mmCIF file of all heavy atoms in Angstrom:
data_model
loop_
_atom_site.group_PDB
_atom_site.id
_atom_site.type_symbol
_atom_site.label_atom_id
_atom_site.label_comp_id
_atom_site.label_asym_id
_atom_site.label_seq_id
_atom_site.Cartn_x
_atom_site.Cartn_y
_atom_site.Cartn_z
ATOM 1 N N MET A 127 2.362 -1.101 23.100
ATOM 2 C CA MET A 127 1.462 -0.176 22.236
ATOM 3 C C MET A 127 1.691 -0.473 20.742
ATOM 4 O O MET A 127 2.322 0.159 20.009
ATOM 5 C CB MET A 127 1.883 1.265 22.489
ATOM 6 C CG MET A 127 0.600 2.094 22.575
ATOM 7 S SD MET A 127 0.856 3.701 23.554
ATOM 8 C CE MET A 127 1.757 4.597 22.192
ATOM 9 N N THR A 128 1.025 -1.563 20.400
ATOM 10 C CA THR A 128 1.012 -2.018 18.993
ATOM 11 C C THR A 128 -0.125 -1.508 18.227
ATOM 12 O O THR A 128 -1.305 -1.805 18.600
ATOM 13 C CB THR A 128 1.216 -3.542 18.913
ATOM 14 O OG1 THR A 128 2.332 -3.856 19.700
ATOM 15 C CG2 THR A 128 1.542 -4.042 17.454
ATOM 16 N N HIS A 129 0.204 -0.808 17.152
ATOM 17 C CA HIS A 129 -1.015 -0.426 16.268
ATOM 18 C C HIS A 129 -1.210 -1.415 15.138
ATOM 19 O O HIS A 129 -0.345 -1.697 14.310
ATOM 20 C CB HIS A 129 -0.687 0.948 15.775
ATOM 21 C CG HIS A 129 -1.795 1.520 14.851
ATOM 22 N ND1 HIS A 129 -2.982 2.000 15.381
ATOM 23 C CD2 HIS A 129 -1.938 1.574 13.524
ATOM 24 C CE1 HIS A 129 -3.802 2.276 14.446
ATOM 25 N NE2 HIS A 129 -3.166 2.069 13.252
ATOM 26 N N ARG A 130 -2.393 -2.018 15.185
ATOM 27 C CA ARG A 130 -2.656 -3.091 14.286
ATOM 28 C C ARG A 130 -3.687 -2.611 13.228
ATOM 29 O O ARG A 130 -4.687 -1.949 13.559
ATOM 30 C CB ARG A 130 -3.226 -4.369 14.911
ATOM 31 C CG ARG A 130 -2.035 -5.054 15.532
ATOM 32 C CD ARG A 130 -2.544 -6.466 16.024
ATOM 33 N NE ARG A 130 -1.343 -7.254 16.338
ATOM 34 C CZ ARG A 130 -1.209 -8.464 15.912
ATOM 35 N NH1 ARG A 130 -2.209 -9.021 15.232
ATOM 36 N NH2 ARG A 130 -0.166 -9.225 16.144
ATOM 37 N N THR A 131 -3.599 -2.878 11.921
ATOM 38 C CA THR A 131 -4.532 -2.539 10.961
ATOM 39 C C THR A 131 -5.277 -3.764 10.512
ATOM 40 O O THR A 131 -4.730 -4.775 10.126
ATOM 41 C CB THR A 131 -3.762 -2.021 9.754
ATOM 42 O OG1 THR A 131 -2.885 -1.029 10.138
ATOM 43 C CG2 THR A 131 -4.745 -1.464 8.740
ATOM 44 N N PRO A 132 -6.628 -3.857 10.817
ATOM 45 C CA PRO A 132 -7.388 -5.058 10.545
ATOM 46 C C PRO A 132 -7.649 -5.270 9.121
ATOM 47 O O PRO A 132 -8.259 -6.184 8.729
ATOM 48 C CB PRO A 132 -8.647 -4.667 11.354
ATOM 49 C CG PRO A 132 -8.730 -3.180 11.398
ATOM 50 C CD PRO A 132 -7.323 -2.668 11.409
ATOM 51 N N LEU A 133 -7.315 -4.295 8.295
ATOM 52 C CA LEU A 133 -7.759 -4.393 6.870
ATOM 53 C C LEU A 133 -6.935 -5.563 6.193
ATOM 54 O O LEU A 133 -5.837 -5.743 6.513
ATOM 55 C CB LEU A 133 -7.421 -3.109 6.091
ATOM 56 C CG LEU A 133 -8.219 -1.842 6.559
ATOM 57 C CD1 LEU A 133 -7.736 -0.633 5.768
ATOM 58 C CD2 LEU A 133 -9.681 -2.132 6.308
ATOM 59 N N PRO A 134 -7.623 -6.324 5.397
ATOM 60 C CA PRO A 134 -7.011 -7.484 4.723
ATOM 61 C C PRO A 134 -6.067 -7.019 3.643
ATOM 62 O O PRO A 134 -5.115 -7.713 3.208
ATOM 63 C CB PRO A 134 -8.167 -8.229 4.063
ATOM 64 C CG PRO A 134 -9.292 -7.170 3.884
ATOM 65 C CD PRO A 134 -9.012 -6.155 4.967
ATOM 66 N N SER A 135 -6.249 -5.830 3.141
ATOM 67 C CA SER A 135 -5.249 -5.330 2.159
ATOM 68 C C SER A 135 -5.087 -3.840 2.305
ATOM 69 O O SER A 135 -5.868 -3.164 2.876
ATOM 70 C CB SER A 135 -5.833 -5.637 0.689
ATOM 71 O OG SER A 135 -6.992 -5.051 0.539
ATOM 72 N N ARG A 136 -4.032 -3.312 1.791
ATOM 73 C CA ARG A 136 -3.716 -1.867 1.858
ATOM 74 C C ARG A 136 -3.511 -1.351 0.551
ATOM 75 O O ARG A 136 -3.217 -2.035 -0.396
ATOM 76 C CB ARG A 136 -2.461 -1.740 2.803
ATOM 77 C CG ARG A 136 -2.765 -2.349 4.145
ATOM 78 C CD ARG A 136 -1.553 -1.964 4.978
ATOM 79 N NE ARG A 136 -1.385 -0.518 5.161
ATOM 80 C CZ ARG A 136 -0.626 0.066 5.958
ATOM 81 N NH1 ARG A 136 0.225 -0.715 6.629
ATOM 82 N NH2 ARG A 136 -0.505 1.352 6.022
ATOM 83 N N ILE A 137 -3.624 -0.016 0.656
ATOM 84 C CA ILE A 137 -3.380 0.716 -0.723
ATOM 85 C C ILE A 137 -1.913 0.461 -1.093
ATOM 86 O O ILE A 137 -0.980 0.579 -0.239
ATOM 87 C CB ILE A 137 -3.584 2.251 -0.551
ATOM 88 C CG1 ILE A 137 -5.023 2.493 -0.211
ATOM 89 C CG2 ILE A 137 -3.160 3.060 -1.715
ATOM 90 C CD1 ILE A 137 -6.058 2.047 -1.315
ATOM 91 N N CYS A 138 -1.684 0.190 -2.295
ATOM 92 C CA CYS A 138 -0.271 -0.050 -2.896
ATOM 93 C C CYS A 138 0.593 1.153 -2.597
ATOM 94 O O CYS A 138 0.249 2.220 -3.089
ATOM 95 C CB CYS A 138 -0.460 -0.433 -4.262
ATOM 96 S SG CYS A 138 1.211 -0.563 -5.070
ATOM 97 N N PRO A 139 1.635 0.926 -1.916
ATOM 98 C CA PRO A 139 2.608 2.103 -1.585
ATOM 99 C C PRO A 139 3.352 2.519 -2.899
ATOM 100 O O PRO A 139 3.861 3.700 -2.871
ATOM 101 C CB PRO A 139 3.595 1.503 -0.598
ATOM 102 C CG PRO A 139 3.609 0.014 -0.883
ATOM 103 C CD PRO A 139 2.164 -0.347 -1.351
ATOM 104 N N ALA A 140 3.342 1.802 -3.873
ATOM 105 C CA ALA A 140 4.112 2.084 -5.105
ATOM 106 C C ALA A 140 3.316 3.163 -5.914
ATOM 107 O O ALA A 140 3.862 4.090 -6.492
ATOM 108 C CB ALA A 140 4.443 1.029 -5.895
ATOM 109 N N CYS A 141 2.010 2.966 -6.025
ATOM 110 C CA CYS A 141 1.237 3.674 -6.953
ATOM 111 C C CYS A 141 0.106 4.526 -6.187
ATOM 112 O O CYS A 141 -0.634 5.258 -6.787
ATOM 113 C CB CYS A 141 0.552 2.877 -8.038
ATOM 114 S SG CYS A 141 -0.590 1.678 -7.281
ATOM 115 N N ASP A 142 0.075 4.354 -4.906
ATOM 116 C CA ASP A 142 -0.924 5.074 -4.034
ATOM 117 C C ASP A 142 -2.302 4.749 -4.431
ATOM 118 O O ASP A 142 -3.224 5.661 -4.288
ATOM 119 C CB ASP A 142 -0.631 6.596 -4.143
ATOM 120 C CG ASP A 142 -0.385 7.190 -2.773
ATOM 121 O OD1 ASP A 142 -0.332 6.371 -1.764
ATOM 122 O OD2 ASP A 142 -0.248 8.456 -2.724
ATOM 123 N N GLY A 143 -2.640 3.649 -5.005
ATOM 124 C CA GLY A 143 -3.990 3.245 -5.293
ATOM 125 C C GLY A 143 -4.277 3.587 -6.795
ATOM 126 O O GLY A 143 -5.292 3.043 -7.282
ATOM 127 N N PHE A 144 -3.567 4.231 -7.482
ATOM 128 C CA PHE A 144 -3.684 4.583 -8.936
ATOM 129 C C PHE A 144 -2.926 3.538 -9.695
ATOM 130 O O PHE A 144 -1.859 3.735 -10.161
ATOM 131 C CB PHE A 144 -3.291 5.958 -9.189
ATOM 132 C CG PHE A 144 -4.107 7.084 -8.566
ATOM 133 C CD1 PHE A 144 -3.678 7.479 -7.317
ATOM 134 C CD2 PHE A 144 -5.328 7.379 -8.982
ATOM 135 C CE1 PHE A 144 -4.471 8.507 -6.680
ATOM 136 C CE2 PHE A 144 -6.034 8.349 -8.548
ATOM 137 C CZ PHE A 144 -5.724 8.987 -7.260
ATOM 138 N N ALA A 145 -3.505 2.336 -9.741
ATOM 139 C CA ALA A 145 -2.901 1.233 -10.350
ATOM 140 C C ALA A 145 -2.718 1.366 -11.753
ATOM 141 O O ALA A 145 -1.729 0.798 -12.490
ATOM 142 C CB ALA A 145 -3.558 -0.104 -9.937
ATOM 143 N N SER A 146 -3.659 1.951 -12.440
ATOM 144 C CA SER A 146 -3.638 2.123 -13.877
ATOM 145 C C SER A 146 -3.642 3.472 -14.249
ATOM 146 O O SER A 146 -4.544 4.239 -13.831
ATOM 147 C CB SER A 146 -4.857 1.340 -14.582
ATOM 148 O OG SER A 146 -4.850 -0.063 -14.151
ATOM 149 N N VAL A 147 -2.721 3.889 -15.011
ATOM 150 C CA VAL A 147 -2.757 5.324 -15.439
ATOM 151 C C VAL A 147 -2.652 5.396 -16.928
ATOM 152 O O VAL A 147 -1.953 4.583 -17.630
ATOM 153 C CB VAL A 147 -1.484 6.121 -14.858
ATOM 154 C CG1 VAL A 147 -1.747 6.180 -13.348
ATOM 155 C CG2 VAL A 147 -0.204 5.437 -15.153
ATOM 156 N N ALA A 148 -3.313 6.401 -17.634
ATOM 157 C CA ALA A 148 -3.304 6.608 -18.979
ATOM 158 C C ALA A 148 -2.225 7.676 -19.246
ATOM 159 O O ALA A 148 -2.295 8.805 -18.774
ATOM 160 C CB ALA A 148 -4.573 7.001 -19.518
ATOM 161 N N VAL A 149 -1.240 7.354 -19.991
ATOM 162 C CA VAL A 149 -0.190 8.326 -20.254
ATOM 163 C C VAL A 149 -0.268 8.749 -21.768
ATOM 164 O O VAL A 149 -0.335 7.954 -22.614
ATOM 165 C CB VAL A 149 1.265 7.710 -20.085
ATOM 166 C CG1 VAL A 149 2.381 8.651 -20.226
ATOM 167 C CG2 VAL A 149 1.314 7.165 -18.630
ATOM 168 N N THR A 150 -0.433 10.115 -21.914
ATOM 169 C CA THR A 150 -0.442 10.542 -23.271
ATOM 170 C C THR A 150 0.895 10.609 -23.933
ATOM 171 O O THR A 150 1.821 11.045 -23.214
ATOM 172 C CB THR A 150 -1.147 11.981 -23.424
ATOM 173 O OG1 THR A 150 -0.233 12.800 -22.568
ATOM 174 C CG2 THR A 150 -2.508 11.956 -22.759
ATOM 175 N N SER A 151 1.013 10.074 -25.029
ATOM 176 C CA SER A 151 2.288 10.135 -25.736
ATOM 177 C C SER A 151 2.464 11.340 -26.669
ATOM 178 O O SER A 151 3.432 11.525 -27.376
ATOM 179 C CB SER A 151 2.475 8.870 -26.574
ATOM 180 O OG SER A 151 1.419 8.630 -27.506
ATOM 181 N N GLY A 152 1.540 12.242 -26.620
ATOM 182 C CA GLY A 152 1.683 13.573 -27.273
ATOM 183 C C GLY A 152 1.216 13.518 -28.735
ATOM 184 O O GLY A 152 1.028 14.586 -29.257
ATOM 185 N N GLY A 153 0.768 12.430 -29.164
ATOM 186 C CA GLY A 153 0.387 12.378 -30.608
ATOM 187 C C GLY A 153 -1.072 12.059 -30.858
ATOM 188 O O GLY A 153 -1.819 11.857 -29.714
ATOM 189 N N ARG A 154 -1.586 12.026 -32.024
ATOM 190 C CA ARG A 154 -2.985 11.753 -32.195
ATOM 191 C C ARG A 154 -3.017 10.626 -33.324
ATOM 192 O O ARG A 154 -2.094 10.741 -34.269
ATOM 193 C CB ARG A 154 -3.848 12.954 -32.632
ATOM 194 C CG ARG A 154 -4.093 13.910 -31.458
ATOM 195 C CD ARG A 154 -4.956 15.057 -31.929
ATOM 196 N NE ARG A 154 -5.153 16.017 -30.828
ATOM 197 C CZ ARG A 154 -6.222 15.888 -30.013
ATOM 198 N NH1 ARG A 154 -7.118 14.975 -30.109
ATOM 199 N NH2 ARG A 154 -6.275 16.774 -29.021
ATOM 200 N N ASP A 155 -3.993 9.827 -33.247
ATOM 201 C CA ASP A 155 -4.047 8.802 -34.159
ATOM 202 C C ASP A 155 -4.735 9.334 -35.404
ATOM 203 O O ASP A 155 -5.236 10.466 -35.386
ATOM 204 C CB ASP A 155 -4.711 7.489 -33.690
ATOM 205 C CG ASP A 155 -6.191 7.685 -33.408
ATOM 206 O OD1 ASP A 155 -6.822 8.741 -33.866
ATOM 207 O OD2 ASP A 155 -6.726 6.911 -32.682
ATOM 208 N N PRO A 156 -4.836 8.699 -36.529
ATOM 209 C CA PRO A 156 -5.414 9.131 -37.710
ATOM 210 C C PRO A 156 -6.859 9.533 -37.544
ATOM 211 O O PRO A 156 -7.405 10.424 -38.471
ATOM 212 C CB PRO A 156 -5.226 7.918 -38.793
ATOM 213 C CG PRO A 156 -4.200 7.166 -38.250
ATOM 214 C CD PRO A 156 -4.182 7.274 -36.797
ATOM 215 N N ARG A 157 -7.545 9.138 -36.623
ATOM 216 C CA ARG A 157 -8.933 9.513 -36.335
ATOM 217 C C ARG A 157 -9.094 10.669 -35.485
ATOM 218 O O ARG A 157 -10.092 11.181 -35.108
ATOM 219 C CB ARG A 157 -9.664 8.343 -35.791
ATOM 220 C CG ARG A 157 -9.986 7.139 -36.870
ATOM 221 C CD ARG A 157 -10.829 6.157 -36.353
ATOM 222 N NE ARG A 157 -10.127 5.397 -35.295
ATOM 223 C CZ ARG A 157 -10.754 4.352 -34.734
ATOM 224 N NH1 ARG A 157 -11.875 3.946 -35.005
ATOM 225 N NH2 ARG A 157 -10.124 3.715 -33.817
ATOM 226 N N GLY A 158 -7.904 11.229 -35.037
ATOM 227 C CA GLY A 158 -7.900 12.468 -34.193
ATOM 228 C C GLY A 158 -7.941 12.196 -32.727
ATOM 229 O O GLY A 158 -8.174 13.101 -31.902
ATOM 230 N N HIS A 159 -7.941 10.988 -32.347
ATOM 231 C CA HIS A 159 -7.942 10.659 -30.882
ATOM 232 C C HIS A 159 -6.465 10.736 -30.301
ATOM 233 O O HIS A 159 -5.595 10.461 -30.822
ATOM 234 C CB HIS A 159 -8.512 9.258 -30.630
ATOM 235 C CG HIS A 159 -9.940 9.110 -31.036
ATOM 236 N ND1 HIS A 159 -10.483 7.875 -31.376
ATOM 237 C CD2 HIS A 159 -10.928 9.996 -31.216
ATOM 238 C CE1 HIS A 159 -11.805 8.013 -31.726
ATOM 239 N NE2 HIS A 159 -11.952 9.361 -31.695
ATOM 240 N N LEU A 160 -6.460 11.191 -28.985
ATOM 241 C CA LEU A 160 -5.286 11.235 -28.364
ATOM 242 C C LEU A 160 -4.705 9.793 -28.128
ATOM 243 O O LEU A 160 -5.479 8.943 -27.746
ATOM 244 C CB LEU A 160 -5.490 11.849 -26.941
ATOM 245 C CG LEU A 160 -5.314 13.370 -26.748
ATOM 246 C CD1 LEU A 160 -5.588 13.712 -25.413
ATOM 247 C CD2 LEU A 160 -3.935 13.791 -27.231
ATOM 248 N N ARG A 161 -3.473 9.647 -28.426
ATOM 249 C CA ARG A 161 -2.768 8.431 -28.143
ATOM 250 C C ARG A 161 -2.434 8.312 -26.754
ATOM 251 O O ARG A 161 -1.777 9.100 -26.128
ATOM 252 C CB ARG A 161 -1.475 8.322 -28.999
ATOM 253 C CG ARG A 161 -1.703 8.099 -30.470
ATOM 254 C CD ARG A 161 -0.400 8.162 -31.141
ATOM 255 N NE ARG A 161 -0.588 8.307 -32.583
ATOM 256 C CZ ARG A 161 -0.108 7.408 -33.440
ATOM 257 N NH1 ARG A 161 0.423 6.314 -32.961
ATOM 258 N NH2 ARG A 161 -0.338 7.631 -34.665
ATOM 259 N N THR A 162 -2.946 7.204 -26.059
ATOM 260 C CA THR A 162 -2.616 7.021 -24.667
ATOM 261 C C THR A 162 -2.135 5.565 -24.496
ATOM 262 O O THR A 162 -2.475 4.731 -25.167
ATOM 263 C CB THR A 162 -3.948 7.194 -23.795
ATOM 264 O OG1 THR A 162 -4.878 6.338 -24.206
ATOM 265 C CG2 THR A 162 -4.448 8.592 -23.851
ATOM 266 N N LEU A 163 -1.194 5.567 -23.466
ATOM 267 C CA LEU A 163 -0.588 4.240 -23.184
ATOM 268 C C LEU A 163 -1.158 3.941 -21.719
ATOM 269 O O LEU A 163 -1.105 4.804 -20.847
ATOM 270 C CB LEU A 163 0.888 4.303 -23.110
ATOM 271 C CG LEU A 163 1.572 4.640 -24.502
ATOM 272 C CD1 LEU A 163 2.980 4.856 -24.322
ATOM 273 C CD2 LEU A 163 1.282 3.563 -25.451
ATOM 274 N N THR A 164 -1.703 2.777 -21.572
ATOM 275 C CA THR A 164 -2.144 2.422 -20.261
ATOM 276 C C THR A 164 -1.072 1.650 -19.430
ATOM 277 O O THR A 164 -0.581 0.650 -19.966
ATOM 278 C CB THR A 164 -3.393 1.545 -20.264
ATOM 279 O OG1 THR A 164 -4.479 2.204 -21.040
ATOM 280 C CG2 THR A 164 -3.949 1.193 -18.863
ATOM 281 N N ALA A 165 -0.633 2.153 -18.356
ATOM 282 C CA ALA A 165 0.417 1.521 -17.581
ATOM 283 C C ALA A 165 -0.188 0.971 -16.302
ATOM 284 O O ALA A 165 -0.908 1.678 -15.619
ATOM 285 C CB ALA A 165 1.476 2.550 -17.311
ATOM 286 N N HIS A 166 0.163 -0.291 -16.036
ATOM 287 C CA HIS A 166 -0.271 -0.951 -14.782
ATOM 288 C C HIS A 166 0.922 -0.897 -13.853
ATOM 289 O O HIS A 166 1.976 -1.309 -14.234
ATOM 290 C CB HIS A 166 -0.824 -2.348 -15.100
ATOM 291 C CG HIS A 166 -1.998 -2.389 -15.873
ATOM 292 N ND1 HIS A 166 -3.282 -2.058 -15.313
ATOM 293 C CD2 HIS A 166 -2.232 -2.588 -17.257
ATOM 294 C CE1 HIS A 166 -4.158 -2.153 -16.392
ATOM 295 N NE2 HIS A 166 -3.581 -2.447 -17.513
ATOM 296 N N CYS A 167 0.550 -0.726 -12.651
ATOM 297 C CA CYS A 167 1.658 -0.750 -11.606
ATOM 298 C C CYS A 167 2.142 -2.142 -11.410
ATOM 299 O O CYS A 167 1.346 -3.170 -11.339
ATOM 300 C CB CYS A 167 1.033 -0.259 -10.249
ATOM 301 S SG CYS A 167 2.133 -0.468 -8.796
ATOM 302 N N PRO A 168 3.498 -2.400 -11.531
ATOM 303 C CA PRO A 168 4.100 -3.724 -11.467
ATOM 304 C C PRO A 168 4.016 -4.246 -10.074
ATOM 305 O O PRO A 168 4.057 -5.451 -9.854
ATOM 306 C CB PRO A 168 5.489 -3.451 -11.953
ATOM 307 C CG PRO A 168 5.838 -2.027 -11.607
ATOM 308 C CD PRO A 168 4.436 -1.316 -11.792
ATOM 309 N N THR A 169 3.858 -3.361 -9.071
ATOM 310 C CA THR A 169 3.897 -3.947 -7.726
ATOM 311 C C THR A 169 2.637 -4.539 -7.330
ATOM 312 O O THR A 169 2.597 -5.633 -6.722
ATOM 313 C CB THR A 169 4.184 -2.735 -6.766
ATOM 314 O OG1 THR A 169 5.494 -2.130 -7.051
ATOM 315 C CG2 THR A 169 4.208 -3.221 -5.243
ATOM 316 N N CYS A 170 1.526 -4.011 -7.652
ATOM 317 C CA CYS A 170 0.230 -4.475 -7.345
ATOM 318 C C CYS A 170 -0.446 -5.091 -8.486
ATOM 319 O O CYS A 170 -1.574 -5.687 -8.465
ATOM 320 C CB CYS A 170 -0.696 -3.401 -6.684
ATOM 321 S SG CYS A 170 -0.998 -2.115 -7.856
ATOM 322 N N GLN A 171 0.219 -5.015 -9.685
ATOM 323 C CA GLN A 171 -0.270 -5.643 -10.903
ATOM 324 C C GLN A 171 -1.696 -5.130 -11.280
ATOM 325 O O GLN A 171 -2.568 -5.776 -11.703
ATOM 326 C CB GLN A 171 -0.369 -7.132 -10.759
ATOM 327 C CG GLN A 171 1.102 -7.676 -10.608
ATOM 328 C CD GLN A 171 1.101 -9.105 -10.378
ATOM 329 O OE1 GLN A 171 0.130 -9.748 -10.159
ATOM 330 N NE2 GLN A 171 2.360 -9.701 -10.276
ATOM 331 N N GLY A 172 -1.868 -3.799 -11.106
ATOM 332 C CA GLY A 172 -3.083 -3.105 -11.557
ATOM 333 C C GLY A 172 -4.222 -3.235 -10.625
ATOM 334 O O GLY A 172 -5.388 -2.788 -10.953
ATOM 335 N N THR A 173 -4.007 -3.782 -9.375
ATOM 336 C CA THR A 173 -5.176 -3.916 -8.478
ATOM 337 C C THR A 173 -5.255 -2.678 -7.611
ATOM 338 O O THR A 173 -6.369 -2.339 -7.081
ATOM 339 C CB THR A 173 -4.989 -5.123 -7.645
ATOM 340 O OG1 THR A 173 -3.840 -4.998 -6.811
ATOM 341 C CG2 THR A 173 -4.934 -6.344 -8.466
ATOM 342 N N GLY A 174 -4.262 -1.924 -7.293
ATOM 343 C CA GLY A 174 -4.197 -0.739 -6.448
ATOM 344 C C GLY A 174 -4.014 -1.076 -4.959
ATOM 345 O O GLY A 174 -3.969 -0.207 -4.169
ATOM 346 N N THR A 175 -4.147 -2.400 -4.640
ATOM 347 C CA THR A 175 -3.995 -2.720 -3.315
ATOM 348 C C THR A 175 -2.917 -3.951 -3.228
ATOM 349 O O THR A 175 -2.733 -4.679 -4.145
ATOM 350 C CB THR A 175 -5.255 -3.198 -2.618
ATOM 351 O OG1 THR A 175 -5.771 -4.319 -3.329
ATOM 352 C CG2 THR A 175 -6.215 -2.053 -2.567
ATOM 353 N N VAL A 176 -2.293 -4.045 -2.027
ATOM 354 C CA VAL A 176 -1.471 -5.139 -1.868
ATOM 355 C C VAL A 176 -1.713 -5.857 -0.558
ATOM 356 O O VAL A 176 -2.333 -5.172 0.318
ATOM 357 C CB VAL A 176 0.075 -4.717 -1.825
ATOM 358 C CG1 VAL A 176 0.576 -4.329 -3.255
ATOM 359 C CG2 VAL A 176 0.273 -3.653 -0.754
ATOM 360 N N PRO A 177 -1.591 -7.193 -0.451
ATOM 361 C CA PRO A 177 -1.907 -7.861 0.799
ATOM 362 C C PRO A 177 -1.021 -7.239 1.977
ATOM 363 O O PRO A 177 0.067 -6.863 1.770
ATOM 364 C CB PRO A 177 -1.414 -9.340 0.534
ATOM 365 C CG PRO A 177 -1.481 -9.475 -0.870
ATOM 366 C CD PRO A 177 -1.130 -8.148 -1.451
ATOM 367 N N ALA A 178 -1.655 -7.080 3.102
ATOM 368 C CA ALA A 178 -1.075 -6.498 4.223
ATOM 369 C C ALA A 178 0.230 -7.163 4.628
ATOM 370 O O ALA A 178 1.245 -6.602 5.006
ATOM 371 C CB ALA A 178 -2.033 -6.559 5.446
ATOM 372 N N ARG A 179 0.228 -8.512 4.448
ATOM 373 C CA ARG A 179 1.483 -9.353 4.836
ATOM 374 C C ARG A 179 2.619 -8.814 3.959
ATOM 375 O O ARG A 179 3.767 -8.719 4.394
ATOM 376 C CB ARG A 179 1.219 -10.758 4.538
ATOM 377 C CG ARG A 179 2.284 -11.616 5.142
ATOM 378 C CD ARG A 179 1.875 -13.065 5.183
ATOM 379 N NE ARG A 179 1.051 -13.453 4.001
ATOM 380 C CZ ARG A 179 0.585 -14.603 3.685
ATOM 381 N NH1 ARG A 179 0.836 -15.591 4.527
ATOM 382 N NH2 ARG A 179 -0.177 -14.820 2.719
ATOM 383 N N ARG A 180 2.395 -8.550 2.663
ATOM 384 C CA ARG A 180 3.432 -8.278 1.743
ATOM 385 C C ARG A 180 3.969 -6.789 2.121
ATOM 386 O O ARG A 180 5.168 -6.564 1.999
ATOM 387 C CB ARG A 180 2.804 -8.203 0.300
ATOM 388 C CG ARG A 180 3.927 -8.081 -0.671
ATOM 389 C CD ARG A 180 3.333 -8.372 -2.046
ATOM 390 N NE ARG A 180 4.279 -7.944 -3.144
ATOM 391 C CZ ARG A 180 3.840 -8.015 -4.444
ATOM 392 N NH1 ARG A 180 2.771 -8.488 -4.692
ATOM 393 N NH2 ARG A 180 4.691 -7.672 -5.333
ATOM 394 N N VAL A 181 3.074 -5.943 2.504
ATOM 395 C CA VAL A 181 3.531 -4.576 2.921
ATOM 396 C C VAL A 181 4.373 -4.709 4.158
ATOM 397 O O VAL A 181 5.434 -3.997 4.273
ATOM 398 C CB VAL A 181 2.385 -3.797 3.229
ATOM 399 C CG1 VAL A 181 2.728 -2.417 3.879
ATOM 400 C CG2 VAL A 181 1.423 -3.399 2.056
ATOM 401 N N ARG A 182 3.968 -5.595 5.101
ATOM 402 C CA ARG A 182 4.836 -5.688 6.319
ATOM 403 C C ARG A 182 6.191 -6.142 5.895
ATOM 404 O O ARG A 182 7.245 -5.708 6.452
ATOM 405 C CB ARG A 182 4.266 -6.735 7.280
ATOM 406 C CG ARG A 182 3.039 -6.211 8.027
ATOM 407 C CD ARG A 182 2.344 -7.302 8.818
ATOM 408 N NE ARG A 182 1.325 -6.623 9.684
ATOM 409 C CZ ARG A 182 1.578 -6.294 10.941
ATOM 410 N NH1 ARG A 182 2.735 -6.410 11.423
ATOM 411 N NH2 ARG A 182 0.547 -5.786 11.587
ATOM 412 N N GLU A 183 6.307 -7.135 5.054
ATOM 413 C CA GLU A 183 7.559 -7.675 4.711
ATOM 414 C C GLU A 183 8.478 -6.602 4.132
ATOM 415 O O GLU A 183 9.676 -6.449 4.336
ATOM 416 C CB GLU A 183 7.393 -8.764 3.662
ATOM 417 C CG GLU A 183 6.858 -10.087 4.380
ATOM 418 C CD GLU A 183 6.585 -11.202 3.276
ATOM 419 O OE1 GLU A 183 6.778 -10.933 2.107
ATOM 420 O OE2 GLU A 183 6.078 -12.200 3.663
ATOM 421 N N GLY A 184 7.815 -5.790 3.196
ATOM 422 C CA GLY A 184 8.590 -4.673 2.492
ATOM 423 C C GLY A 184 8.999 -3.558 3.518
ATOM 424 O O GLY A 184 10.008 -3.040 3.355
ATOM 425 N N ALA A 185 8.224 -3.347 4.492
ATOM 426 C CA ALA A 185 8.498 -2.258 5.421
ATOM 427 C C ALA A 185 9.369 -2.721 6.562
ATOM 428 O O ALA A 185 9.965 -1.847 7.342
ATOM 429 C CB ALA A 185 7.267 -1.779 6.096
ATOM 430 N N GLY A 186 9.627 -4.057 6.620
ATOM 431 C CA GLY A 186 10.521 -4.517 7.737
ATOM 432 C C GLY A 186 11.981 -4.266 7.606
ATOM 433 O O GLY A 186 12.675 -4.305 8.575
ATOM 434 N N ALA A 187 12.428 -4.068 6.420
ATOM 435 C CA ALA A 187 13.844 -3.973 6.209
ATOM 436 C C ALA A 187 14.440 -2.620 6.543
ATOM 437 O O ALA A 187 13.884 -1.742 6.998
ATOM 438 C CB ALA A 187 14.010 -4.075 4.666
HETATM 439 ZN ZN1 ZN B 305 0.537 -0.293 -7.264
#
């Protein structure tokens, strides 16, 4: 009873698909805009998905 997932890629387990997030640093720039830092997930490098093979390797341990 093997459950196989035919999808070529899967949602990144590290960021749950939210590969890029804007983080407010609490300040505003001189023009009054919120200062935000964009952080990309290092696991999927901002794509939100990882190859299924890579997930298998990570989950095998
Ligand atoms: Zn990710």
